[in-house]
Amino acid sequence: MSRYSVWQVLKNGFTGQTGWSRVWRDPEPKPHYDVIVIGGGGHGLATAYYLARNHGIRNAAVIERGWIGGGNVGRNTTIVRSNYMIPGNTEFYEFSVKLWEQLSHELNYNVMFSQRGQLSLFHSPAGRDAAARRANIMRSNGIDAELLTRDQVRSRVPHLDFSDSARFPIHGAVLQRRAGTARHDAVAWGYARAADRLGVDILQNCEVTGFIREAGRVVGVETARGEIRADRIGLAVAGSTSHVARLAGLDNLPIESHKLQAFVSEPLKPLLDMVVAFAGVGGGHGYISQSDKGGMVFGGDLDLYPSYAQKGNLPVVEEVAAMARMLMPCLGRVRLLRHWAGIMDMSMDGSPFICRTPIDGLYLNAGWCYGGFKATPASGWCFAHTIANQAPHDLNARFTLDRYAAGLAIDEKGAGPTPKAH
Ligand SMILES: Cc1cc2nc3c(=O)[nH]c(=O)nc-3n(C[C@H](O)[C@H](O)[C@H](O)COP(=O)(O)OP(=O)(O)OC[C@H]3O[C@@H](n4cnc5c(N)ncnc54)[C@H](O)[C@@H]3O)c2cc1C
């Protein structure tokens, strides 16, 4: 497979676009692999890529129920940031942003990472205190953060509601300049192509329906395309974690599946060149950015009941539209183009798991809640390390399954063990 380059674009431009090869192969499953990663989302594909690239494990496969990019990796609002405060999270997410900064070159695939900056608004003096605390913690950990006044926010995003009648008056914001967005499908395709180039088999339309266990150890999977054996198996199935883990005999995981919806408007001329996040007033929560095609991309909160339904509903449309209209009144007459949902694997403290499990040979990557897209590169890096070395990387040493039993929850929001509060 050839590398993408300006030379290839020119050559193919003059030869009728006939010189491009398949982006990844469509191989038949082998009877045995060194490692199988279940789940062809961002995390599974990144794991397979780093297994091959960092650890030389090329006899590996990613097993995907549907098609690459059909899960949450292709359904999210694409925000990448590292504005975390708690040890464990801070260094992990900052490492991820650093990997994002090199990702297009690393994968030889344009993931359209755009460091346009994120503004996290605050709306009261108490909100300013909390924001200053967060910004100070970020800076003391070497992560960029700036506290902006109301006027500084206004000069950057004049369309926000600065009127006297604003429902939530804007007092200022924390700016993380290195935060931004990326093209979600491209992340899946870029990792898939790069992993395939290193010899990893990507097996689509291959649902895992059971596990093969021998002497207490998992030694393979039953799939829609037959039995496939492996020395080690990694689980990276996001919202389906509880279901698939149960097939392996791993029950009662501290995860609930909840639905999160996203929305995109008709395309507009350039209006917003940053990500704007609104949080925490009266339990409200929302974020807006503008895609490269011009659509305004919105997100809000979870539906407040557990669900596996991957579709939207009208009460949340109303709630998120009201949030967007409240923040940027000029959006009031913009038409909604599409909305959709994904299933979140909500952990009890809002932080993830990248760890071994009590079942020999089975490794877990889960609990990403609604923040897993930005974690994709670091998650793949650390999960690959954990599987290859059968021991965690320093960056994921705290993301264990038994942390609740040990009283070591990573409770970033201080919200306690309530999935929908994270
Ligand atoms: C609406 C929405 C907005 C979001 N916004 C953001 C955001 O702005 N920033 C951010 O950082 N995060 C965001 N997220 C969260 C982020 O998308 C997820 O945390 C992350 O994508 C999950 O990891 P993944 O990409 O590996 O998951 P997925 O893409 O869901 O991959 C899991 C895969 O496992 C497969 N699978 C399931 N069961 C089986 C089986 N039995 N056999 C084989 N394969 C199976 C699925 O088909 C799926 O493809 C958002 C999510 C949603 C839904």
Side-chain angles (χ1 to χ4, degrees), residues 276-301:
V276 175
F278 157 79
V281 180
H285 180 212
Y287 29 94
I288 309 181
S289 62
Q290 186 167 21
S291 77
D292 294 334
K293 280 195 286 187
M296 304 302 293
V297 180
F298 311 93
D301 244 319

Side-chain angles (χ1 to χ4, degrees), residues 11 24 29 62 110 119 134 163 216 218 237 258 292 305 396 401:
K11 193 176 99 181
W24 58 82
V62 175
N110 187 2
L119 281 177
R134 178 176 294 272
S163 70
V218 289
V237 292
H258 286 264
D292 294 334
Y305 51 88
N396 64 299
L401 260 180

Side-chain angles (χ1 to χ4, degrees), residues 41-43 64-65 72-73 76-77 79 208 370-374:
H43 293 236
E64 166 54 44
R65 167 176 69 184
N72 291 340
V73 70
N76 64 75
T77 44
I79 301 169
V208 169
Y370 37 54
F373 180 65
K374 62 175 141 32

Side-chain angles (χ1 to χ4, degrees), residues 393-414:
H393 190 283
D394 284 350
L395 288 167
N396 64 299
R398 295 172 196 245
F399 296 160
T400 60
L401 260 180
D402 61 6
R403 63 177 180 259
Y404 303 114
L408 296 172
I410 311 170
D411 192 0
E412 179 77 26
K413 285 201 178 169

Side-chain angles (χ1 to χ4, degrees), residues 82-98:
S82 59
N83 54 349
Y84 282 78
M85 300 197 299
I86 301 278
N89 284 340
T90 25
E91 57 274 31
F92 177 83
Y93 287 101
E94 178 58 12
F95 178 66
S96 205
V97 168
K98 289 189 171 136

Side-chain angles (χ1 to χ4, degrees), residues 228-293:
I228 307 173
R229 293 196 166 233
D231 298 340
R232 286 169 244 170
I233 300 177
L235 205 61
V237 292
S240 304
T241 301
S242 306
H243 172 66
V244 182
R246 192 171 297 130
L247 297 176
L250 191 60
D251 234 329
N252 293 326
L253 288 178
I255 288 174
E256 281 184 12
S257 294
H258 286 264
K259 184 166 65 162
L260 183 69
Q261 302 184 42
F263 308 82
V264 67
S265 77
E266 60 187 337
L268 305 177
K269 288 188 175 172
L271 175 71
L272 181 64
D273 60 0
M274 316 192 74
V275 178
V276 175
F278 157 79
V281 180
H285 180 212
Y287 29 94
I288 309 181
S289 62
Q290 186 167 21
S291 77
D292 294 334
K293 280 195 286 187

